[in-house]
């Protein structure tokens, strides 16, 4: 079968199966293109996150960028380049990692906009806590990507949904067969902290 005739979801899953590249090396390997990405970690990191009993061979999280994998996702979520600063208040995947690492990294939810607190489910972290989370991510996570080839007419959203239904990554909360209640509960704790922040 010619590559252009391959099922794009199958092709994407093959590329996203990991382990991918260290976050600190990612910009040397990832193109400025729309596509999907998958976050991976070693089995002992799954245990650190409280995810015993889940299959550590699959990704922890799968996401998409409709515009540019490097700018939108690697910089926004993971601060891949020196001088980048990712903020948890602007990233759902960072909020999920923060919730599961709340105790080991001593993280506390705060309002995303302290001058006008609200939308507490989109909690943020103080700068030093954000930096601790970024350092942890750089040390322990890897990223695999699938740039969407030209000529693929299926939308990234459709491809992503198929992959999420099949893999069910534990840090994804939508389009997976069984969203992780443990993660919902952990995020609710941090949202409550942001609500009572003073």
């Amino acid at each position: 079968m010619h590559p252009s005739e391959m099922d794009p979801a199958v092709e994407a899953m093959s590329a996203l199966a990991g382990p991918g590249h260290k976050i600190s090396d990612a910009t040397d390997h990832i193109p400025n293109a729309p596509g999907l990405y998958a976050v991976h970690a070693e089995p002992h990191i799954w245990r650190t996150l409280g995810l015993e009993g889940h299959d550590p061979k699959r990704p922890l999280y799968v996401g998409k960028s409709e515009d540019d994998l490097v700018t939108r996702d690697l910089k926004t979520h993971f601060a891949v380049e020196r001088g980048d600063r990712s903020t948890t208040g602007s990233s759902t995947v960072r909020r999920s990692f923060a919730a599961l690492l709340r105790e080991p990294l001593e993280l506390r939810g705060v309002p995303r906009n302290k001058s006008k607190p609200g939308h507490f489910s989109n909690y943020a972290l103080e700068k030093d806590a954000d930096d601790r989370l970024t350092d942890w991510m750089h040390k322990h996570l890897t990223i695999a990507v699938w740039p969407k080839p030209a000529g693929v007419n299926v939308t990234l959203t459709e491809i992503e949904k198929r992959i999420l239904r099949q893999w069910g990554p534990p840090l994804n909360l939508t389009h997976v067969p069984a969203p992780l209640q443990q993660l919902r509960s952990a995020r609710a704790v941090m949202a409550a902290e942001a609500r009572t922040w003073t």
Side-chain angles (χ1 to χ4, degrees):
M1 179 179 289
H2 189 278
S4 65
E5 298 173 351
M6 286 183 65
D7 180 337
V10 172
E11 184 182 347
M13 290 179 76
S14 177
L16 297 175
H21 303 282
K22 288 184 175 181
I23 291 174
S24 55
D25 299 332
T27 53
D28 295 332
H29 303 280
I30 296 173
N32 294 307
L36 302 176
Y37 66 94
V39 180
H40 294 268
E42 294 292 328
H44 72 279
I45 298 303
W46 285 63
R47 293 192 293 274
T48 298
L49 294 167
L51 299 174
E52 298 91 342
H54 295 269
D55 180 6
K57 295 186 186 73
R58 62 179 166 160
L60 283 163
Y61 182 86
V62 173
K64 73 176 187 302
S65 174
E66 297 284 0
D67 301 312
D68 182 336
L69 283 161
V70 173
T71 301
R72 169 67 185 96
D73 291 282
L74 296 184
K75 292 186 177 184
T76 299
H77 300 312
F78 306 108
V80 292
E81 294 181 346
R82 187 178 301 277
D84 287 346
R85 180 159 183 271
S86 296
T87 57
T88 297
S90 301
S91 168
T92 188
V93 66
R94 287 181 68 90
R95 284 194 292 276
S96 289
F97 276 110
L100 296 179
L101 293 166
R102 178 178 169 271
E103 292 187 8
L105 294 187
E106 299 180 0
L107 307 176
R108 182 175 185 267
V110 301
R112 182 164 64 176
N113 183 350
K114 291 180 181 177
S115 63
K116 190 177 180 182
H119 305 287
F120 299 109
S121 61
N122 293 334
Y123 53 85
L125 300 174
E126 298 286 6
K127 181 184 182 305
D128 61 337
D130 249 335
D131 291 343
R132 285 198 301 279
L133 179 59
T134 295
D135 289 344
W136 184 94
M137 295 169 92
H138 280 222
K139 184 175 181 181
H140 297 295
L141 303 179
T142 59
I143 296 180
V145 301
W146 177 72
K148 183 181 178 184
V152 171
N153 295 322
V154 183
T155 67
L156 278 174
T157 297
E158 292 176 78
I159 298 168
E160 180 192 34
K161 285 180 179 179
R162 283 184 58 189
I163 293 171
L164 292 175
R165 285 194 296 267
Q166 183 157 339
W167 272 342
L171 267 63
N172 285 84
L173 289 170
T174 58
H175 308 304
V176 291
L180 192 64
Q181 185 55 47
Q182 168 190 348
L183 176 58
R184 289 187 184 278
S185 298
R187 287 175 60 127
V189 169
M190 297 200 79
E193 288 178 339
R195 187 179 298 278
T196 58
W197 170 84
T198 55

